[in-house]
Amino acid sequence: MSDSPTKSLQCLLNWCVLFQRSMAVVIRLQGLPIVAGTMDIRHFFSGLTIPDGGVHIVGGELVWIFHGMKTCWLVVHTLICGCVLKSTALSLSHDQMAACVSRVELSVSCRSLLDRDLGSRSDPLCVLLQDAGGGRWAELDRTEKIKNCQDPEFCKKLVVDYYFEKVQKLKFGVYDIDNKSFDLNDDDYLGGVECTLGQVVSSSVFTRALELKQGKPAGKGTITISAEEIKDTRVVYLEIEAQNLDKKDFLGKSDPFLEFYKQSDAGTWQLVYRSEVIKNNLNPCWRKFSVPLQTFCGGDFNKPIKVESSGILFVVPSHPFSVDAVQCADHDNDGSHDLIGTLETTLAKMQTAGAGSLVEYECIHPEKKQKKKHYKNSGIIRIKSCKIETEYSFLDYVMGGCQINFTVGVDFTASNGDPKSPDSLHYISPDGINEYLSAIWSVGSVVQDYDTDKLFPAFGFGAQVPPSWQVSHEFALNFNPSNPYCQGIQGIVDAYRQILPQIQLYGPTNFSPIINHVARFAAHSLQQGTAAQYFILLIITDGEITDLDQTRQAIVNASKLPMSIIIVGVGEADFKAMEFLDGDNGVLKSVTGEPAARDIVQFVPFRQFKNAPQEALSQMVLAEVPKQLVSYYKWQGCPPLKLPEIKAM
């Protein structure tokens, strides 16, 4: 996510284009300095919603679509005023598009460029384009022009949104600029290279030979690209308690809670954090909580923080013209909350708390202080601990050297049908595809960019295999148990096609052997005590699982390891057991009642994506992986192998 979504959203009108398309009204915000993710937008508008529209984040544009001008102008008014229209009944609809994991900054340099100028060297510029589909390329960014240089190191960085679950095809083109025109069609092409963003971010340094066209080198020219995430990863962790708060309830004590607010450029308050309500307690101790530093105070440690207690409000300005606030109130079920008091401080002062040393403040109710001559305070607020810590992102781990290991497990049980019959799920159509191959290509094409050796173990289960013709639930697709690795995704596809006529589909459908197989490798990696390797297991199956109890135990065990499991269900079977393993409706437990340490399973029925683009499946099943990887290493206390530099945009 961008590190200052609210700030960027408040200045969007500089880039706003309003137009009408049939019955819909569209706001298109172009050339954003920061592209906010969906959750950032929802948080910015708080209670404001657009139920009849949608939010789309496409490249450098943020697009809202509405069915009426009235709703549209409510949002425009909010953008202009920088305020939240709490009184409206609107709320932001959930965006089904993928949310940007982060933004990355690409540094580009070239060596030995072609010389196209007579009497001088070329004046190179590098342009970054992204595949827009249908053979079209859309420009995302470009560097500055460097005069008379065949070995340029461009100063301007190229900025691009990064999505783990997408294959983002990029093209870098280098041109010799001889005029002031923005159009590059009249400039000499010095060469280019096509790659994916995944290849770039997973490489410490990405160097390729430049080509004038496919297979034709641009002399000895090369291009080198390195990536860096744009993000201030620092987080404020706070532990706060209070003593002797004012009693606000007639028949009981106060029910205090904290609210943190940030003041916008326009002077209005936006909710940053709300604590839990502590019932019937005048001496509450709230749970430790965290807020991103950028959200909390804009990175400025010396700006005033105002705290109000409702029964309490902290205010932390994010820049000279805004203030962040935290409010502590007495909670009432009818929605009316009573202010307890306020205080002012700074984040720098709050940081002095810790190691047994508390920072105390009097909680003052402004009206009581004004009316009561002998009023002292409405309680004492204590900062028990205030720490600034770094919270690492998925890109921090990948760029730091974490390898993602991809393993495939294919269901070869008899319920799939005879592979020779067109009715079989394993039947390969004349165009060389079936649902199993589609799932392998879709997910594998994304994951392969994060594995340097491109060697992927691939297994089958539920078939009788030669020479003994015993049923196996863990056999290598290449029939080489000591070396089950396939070269790239194409290698997996080739092994699958070759093994089909050599085995006898049988049963039952057991998942636990292949889960335990990958878990053994993940457990070995865990012994290193570093964020060096993470494992993704893709299981493709056609029906109900047979060893459900054993699989539940295997998943619970694997939840303690650097591992995620993706299950894709093909065909029209009932997949209730798979949905149960997914754990979305509650924490998955083993038969003995042991809960999974974290949610590591994602299940998706392939039938939902039959008529969707190939990338739709990968976006759905891989969207959770970055969060799962980060949560695992955070749980283990493992920083990236190579620590990132703090960089704010």
Side-chain angles (χ1 to χ4, degrees):
M1 297 295 179
S2 46
D3 48 28
S4 186
T6 301
K7 183 177 179 182
S8 63
L9 284 166
Q10 288 164 348
C11 63
L12 290 184
L13 264 292
N14 294 331
W15 294 272
C16 182
V17 179
L18 203 65
F19 63 98
Q20 194 146 356
R21 188 179 65 196
S22 63
M23 294 301 292
V25 181
V26 178
I27 301 180
R28 174 172 291 161
L29 303 161
Q30 301 172 310
L32 298 176
I34 301 172
V35 175
T38 317
M39 293 308 296
D40 294 328
I41 300 167
R42 294 179 64 156
H43 179 257
F44 173 78
F45 283 110
S46 249
L48 184 70
T49 334
I50 309 134
D52 61 348
V55 180
H56 302 276
I57 305 167
V58 185
E61 293 188 354
L62 175 61
V63 180
W64 280 285
I65 302 175
F66 312 94
H67 294 317
M69 183 62 79
K70 182 178 179 181
T71 307
C72 172
W73 278 113
L74 280 172
V75 177
V76 172
H77 180 268
T78 303
L79 287 168
I80 295 173
C81 297
C83 63
V84 179
L85 306 180
K86 296 280 189 182
S87 61
T88 69
L90 302 172
S91 60
L92 198 67
S93 61
H94 179 66
D95 178 14
Q96 295 302 321
M97 298 183 64
C100 170
V101 171
S102 191
R103 304 200 87 199
V104 293
E105 182 178 83
L106 305 178
S107 300
V108 180
S109 62
C110 298
R111 293 292 179 267
S112 305
L113 293 179
L114 293 172
D115 190 359
R116 296 297 195 191
D117 291 347
L118 294 175
S120 67
R121 295 177 180 175
S122 295
D123 305 326
L125 169 151
C126 182
V127 62
L128 171 63
L129 305 118
Q130 181 166 304
D131 183 16
R136 297 177 295 109
W137 294 87
E139 180 174 338
L140 296 181
D141 208 350
R142 60 174 69 185
T143 67
E144 79 280 18
K145 178 181 75 173
I146 298 180
K147 286 197 170 187
N148 299 322
C149 184
Q150 288 180 281
D151 301 309
E153 186 165 348
F154 298 103
C155 179
K156 184 183 182 302
K157 312 302 181 185
L158 304 175
V159 178
V160 59
D161 296 336
Y162 165 79
Y163 302 81
F164 170 71
E165 62 270 28
K166 290 185 179 181
V167 176
Q168 293 174 263
K169 295 180 181 178
L170 303 179
K171 181 189 288 186
F172 294 82
V174 183
Y175 292 83
D176 177 20
I177 307 300
D178 290 322
N179 55 55
K180 295 183 179 180
S181 169
F182 188 81
D183 188 359
L184 297 174
N185 289 324
D186 54 359
D187 297 303
D188 292 324
Y189 187 56
L190 302 180
V193 64
E194 293 183 22
C195 61
T196 67
L197 184 55
Q199 289 173 317
V200 175
V201 300
S202 61
S203 306
S204 55
V205 177
F206 183 85
T207 301
R208 291 291 186 273
L210 291 169
E211 294 184 335
L212 294 173
K213 59 182 180 180
Q214 189 170 4
K216 184 179 180 181
K220 296 181 180 180
T222 62
I223 186 170
T224 298
I225 307 156
S226 60
E228 186 174 8
E229 186 177 14
I230 301 172
K231 188 178 181 184
D232 186 337
T233 58
R234 291 174 294 175
V235 176
V236 181
Y237 286 87
L238 283 164
E239 292 183 81
I240 301 175
E241 66 181 15
Q243 279 194 335
N244 302 320
L245 294 179
D246 281 353
K247 179 181 176 181
K248 290 289 181 178
D249 294 344
F250 180 70
L251 296 176
K253 300 175 181 178
S254 295
D255 303 327
F257 64 95
L258 298 175
E259 281 188 340
F260 287 73
Y261 290 84
K262 175 182 285 184
Q263 192 177 41
S264 70
D265 292 343
T268 57
W269 295 101
Q270 298 165 354
L271 185 63
V272 173
Y273 174 82
R274 178 184 290 124
S275 75
E276 80 277 18
V277 176
I278 298 182
K279 289 282 188 179
N280 202 32
N281 196 326
L282 300 181
N283 301 289
C285 182
W286 290 277
R287 286 195 297 263
K288 182 178 181 180
F289 63 92
S290 64
V291 183
L293 183 64
Q294 189 70 34
T295 301
F296 193 68
C297 65
D300 190 334
F301 287 54
N302 295 308
K303 293 297 175 184
I305 296 174
K306 182 183 177 184
V307 184
E308 290 189 359
S309 169
S310 229
I312 307 172
L313 172 63
F314 281 94
V315 182
V316 188
S318 58
H319 53 79
F321 303 102
S322 70
V323 182
D324 286 335
V326 181
Q327 175 171 302
C328 172
D330 173 43
H331 181 272
D332 291 322
N333 291 329
D334 63 1
S336 61
H337 310 309
D338 301 318
L339 178 68
I340 294 176
T342 70
L343 64 90
E344 288 193 13
T345 183
T346 65
L347 181 56
K349 186 174 180 180
M350 293 169 70
Q351 277 190 285
T352 61
S357 175
L358 302 178
V359 177
E360 294 189 350
Y361 303 93
E362 285 187 309
C363 186
I364 305 298
H365 192 290
E367 291 184 7
K368 286 186 176 181
K369 184 178 181 180
Q370 187 176 11
K371 293 178 180 179
K372 295 184 178 181
K373 186 176 181 180
H374 299 292
Y375 174 78
K376 186 176 181 182
N377 61 54
S378 294
I380 301 296
I381 304 299
R382 291 177 168 177
I383 310 300
K384 298 170 61 180
S385 173
C386 178
K387 296 180 180 179
I388 310 298
E389 298 181 7
T390 298
E391 197 161 84
Y392 301 110
S393 70
F394 175 73
L395 281 184
D396 289 333
Y397 285 103
V398 170
M399 292 179 175
C402 182
Q403 290 286 302
I404 295 180
N405 301 281
F406 180 53
T407 302
V408 175
V410 179
D411 182 344
F412 287 105
T413 55
S415 55
N416 282 277
D418 185 351
K420 298 175 184 177
S421 169
D423 296 329
S424 171
L425 292 168
H426 280 297
Y427 175 74
I428 299 178
S429 65
D431 58 2
I433 203 72
N434 62 26
E435 291 187 10
Y436 280 93
L437 289 173
S438 294
I440 292 171
W441 272 118
S442 180
V443 179
S445 60
V446 173
V447 177
Q448 68 176 346
D449 287 338
Y450 301 87
D451 190 311
T452 53
D453 62 15
K454 304 292 187 290
L455 293 174
F456 306 116
F459 299 92
F461 58 89
Q464 293 176 322
V465 296
S468 65
W469 296 103
Q470 295 295 310
V471 175
S472 174
H473 297 288
E474 188 187 340
F475 59 90
L477 290 192
N478 62 5
F479 281 144
N480 188 346
S482 62
N483 184 19
Y485 297 91
C486 300
Q487 182 64 57
I489 303 306
Q490 185 62 55
I492 298 176
V493 170
D494 292 342
Y496 168 82
R497 286 174 172 161
Q498 291 169 12
I499 202 174
L500 265 179
Q502 302 182 59
I503 59 175
Q504 180 64 49
L505 275 58
Y506 207 76
T509 307
N510 293 348
F511 285 3
S512 60
I514 193 169
I515 294 175
N516 291 330
H517 176 96
V518 176
R520 286 193 291 271
F521 286 89
H524 179 74
S525 170
L526 179 61
Q527 295 174 3
Q528 301 174 20
T530 62
Q533 296 188 75
Y534 195 85
F535 295 80
I536 295 177
L537 169 60
L538 169 64
I539 298 176
I540 313 172
T541 182
D542 81 314
E544 284 295 319
I545 186 172
T546 307
D547 64 338
L548 183 59
D549 290 347
Q550 293 89 337
T551 296
R552 288 167 62 185
Q553 185 63 58
I555 292 173
V556 168
N557 294 340
S559 70
K560 306 166 192 171
L561 302 171
M563 179 174 169
S564 293
I565 301 170
I566 297 166
I567 304 174
V568 175
V570 297
E572 302 299 324
D574 184 353
F575 293 113
K576 287 183 180 178
M578 309 304 167
E579 294 167 355
F580 170 73
L581 295 176
D582 194 315
D584 284 346
N585 296 322
V587 177
L588 178 70
K589 295 182 180 180
S590 68
V591 178
T592 61
E594 180 186 3
R598 57 196 184 93
D599 182 11
I600 64 168
V601 178
Q602 177 79 351
F603 167 73
V604 173
F606 186 87
R607 57 179 173 245
Q608 293 181 358
F609 300 89
K610 272 188 176 181
N611 300 317
Q614 178 179 310
E615 61 270 17
L617 175 64
S618 62
Q619 290 177 27
M620 175 62 74
V621 299
L622 292 174
E624 296 295 316
V625 170
K627 182 175 68 175
Q628 291 171 354
L629 182 149
V630 170
S631 67
Y632 174 77
Y633 287 122
K634 182 179 180 180
W635 176 46
Q636 292 294 318
C638 293
L641 291 175
K642 180 183 177 184
L643 295 178
E645 295 180 7
I646 292 178
K647 189 178 188 69
M649 188 171 182

